[in-house]
Amino acid sequence: MKFFRTLSELRGAHDLPQKLQRLGDFAAALERHESVEFDTEAPVVPLGPPSYSAICKIVHGSEVPRRRNLGSGEGRIIFLHALAHIEYSAIDLALDSAYRFRDMPPQFYEDWLNVALDEARHFAMLQSLLGELGSGYGALPVHTGIHDAMVRSEDSLRRRMVAAHRHLEANGLDAHPELARKMSLFDDPMAERIRDALKIIFDDEIAHVAAGDFWYRYACTLDGSNPEDFAADIEMAIPGTKIGGKKNLNLDARRRAGFSEHDLAVMSRPVA
Ligand SMILES: [Fe+2]
Ligand SMILES: [Fe+2]
């Protein structure tokens, strides 16, 4: 089995059960050290359209359905679909980072493959909740926010790590407490299961952000840049993002994921 070629095939795959199955098989083969060849000569190809373009209708971010009422089946479908889309995109993001950046220490590839496996588990969990509500991934339109950030960071390890793996993933940590609170207003069994799913995802995401933080700092040591100067990379990968002015920073989770007090101060200071 060829390592980099398999990563690129998995990232491009869009048959959902097959993609998840193959990813699990690949990770298990690696775990058993089964004839995996590190085909470092495999070409690094620029990202094409996202793999989910074969599954979902793609629309502008402003046209994605907005959830209103988490107490209704429809509101929950919209919410779970949006989350499933983030998890699905995160599978491809982790696979792409392991595929694209070569000559890194073995731990780098291990970390992103483990993240891809976590994201696949999160996605499968949400997909099954959607199924119980009579829906499924692909039923609603999606936007390409994460994919766009991947494209705008495909030529820079440092930008990819800080913008996609640290910044975007950490936004999920900030969102969790309020979502958990809103879901706690309902005491039906489905609400409880959604809360449980959110908690599992939240706990795992801290480690993902920590990996993003670790490899961002590593990338900075490679090119001699200052890890405190992260704003420009994020603005380049995600145009229009405001650094600063964040009122809902989950300080505890972000500290556990490696953010420094300086980083947190930059993100929370008022913006003009
Ligand atoms: Fe996730
Ligand atoms: Fe994640």
Side-chain angles (χ1 to χ4, degrees):
M1 198 177 339
K2 292 184 190 291
F3 185 77
F4 291 107
R5 188 175 300 176
T6 307
L7 287 174
S8 132
E9 284 170 8
L10 283 170
R11 186 205 55 205
H14 50 74
D15 178 311
L16 291 175
Q18 206 183 67
K19 181 174 180 127
L20 301 183
Q21 177 72 43
R22 281 194 65 196
L23 175 57
D25 291 347
F26 180 56
L30 283 174
E31 183 106 324
R32 294 192 299 264
H33 300 285
E34 265 172 26
S35 61
V36 177
E37 182 194 332
F38 279 82
D39 51 334
T40 44
E41 79 294 342
V44 181
V45 178
L47 276 158
S51 70
Y52 54 77
S53 57
I55 305 170
C56 304
K57 183 178 177 219
I58 292 174
V59 296
H60 187 265
S62 61
E63 290 166 40
V64 170
R66 303 267 165 236
R67 78 186 139 80
R68 290 199 168 78
N69 178 5
L70 282 172
S72 75
E74 194 203 355
R76 288 175 181 179
I77 288 172
I78 292 172
F79 170 59
L80 291 172
H81 195 280
L83 213 53
H85 180 55
I86 292 173
E87 299 296 343
Y88 182 96
S89 303
I91 301 173
D92 285 356
L93 166 63
L95 290 173
D96 186 71
S97 292
Y99 158 77
R100 186 162 304 285
F101 301 106
R102 305 285 167 91
D103 302 320
M104 294 291 285
Q107 187 67 46
F108 178 84
Y109 303 101
E110 215 172 284
D111 280 358
W112 296 120
L113 211 60
N114 281 332
V115 169
L117 284 171
D118 281 353
E119 310 296 20
R121 186 163 41 80
H122 298 165
F123 173 77
M125 198 164 61
L126 299 168
Q127 173 74 318
S128 109
L129 292 174
L130 278 169
E132 285 181 47
L133 291 167
S135 187
Y137 185 52
L140 296 174
V142 297
H143 66 80
T144 57
I146 294 176
H147 183 79
D148 296 345
M150 285 165 66
V151 172
R152 293 196 186 97
S153 59
E154 67 181 356
D155 58 348
S156 162
L157 170 73
R158 194 188 69 211
R159 201 182 313 132
R160 171 64 64 85
M161 293 301 121
V162 74
H165 287 294
R166 193 174 82 155
H167 175 79
L168 286 180
E169 289 237 27
N171 285 343
L173 300 181
D174 299 334
H176 177 262
E178 180 60 8
L179 286 171
R181 189 195 65 77
K182 281 192 177 144
M183 281 314 302
S184 71
L185 301 175
F186 309 99
D187 60 4
D188 59 288
M190 179 50 99
E192 196 177 318
R193 292 180 54 208
I194 294 175
R195 269 201 309 278
D196 290 347
L198 290 177
K199 178 75 170 76
I200 291 170
I201 292 173
F202 173 75
D203 288 343
D204 290 339
E205 297 301 338
I206 293 178
H208 300 182
V209 179
D213 180 74
F214 177 86
W215 292 109
Y216 166 57
R217 292 177 193 282
Y218 181 91
C220 288
T221 62
L222 290 184
D223 67 10
S225 48
N226 180 352
E228 293 189 346
D229 297 337
F230 57 86
D233 272 329
I234 296 175
E235 282 159 358
M236 199 179 289
I238 312 159
T241 307
K242 276 200 178 67
I243 308 293
K246 267 215 132 202
K247 291 197 169 63
N248 68 335
L249 284 181
N250 189 331
L251 295 173
D252 172 58
R254 282 178 177 260
R255 282 183 184 121
R256 280 155 66 199
F259 282 91
S260 70
E261 295 308 312
H262 169 272
D263 298 340
L264 296 172
V266 169
M267 282 173 238
S268 51
R269 76 183 165 207
V271 282

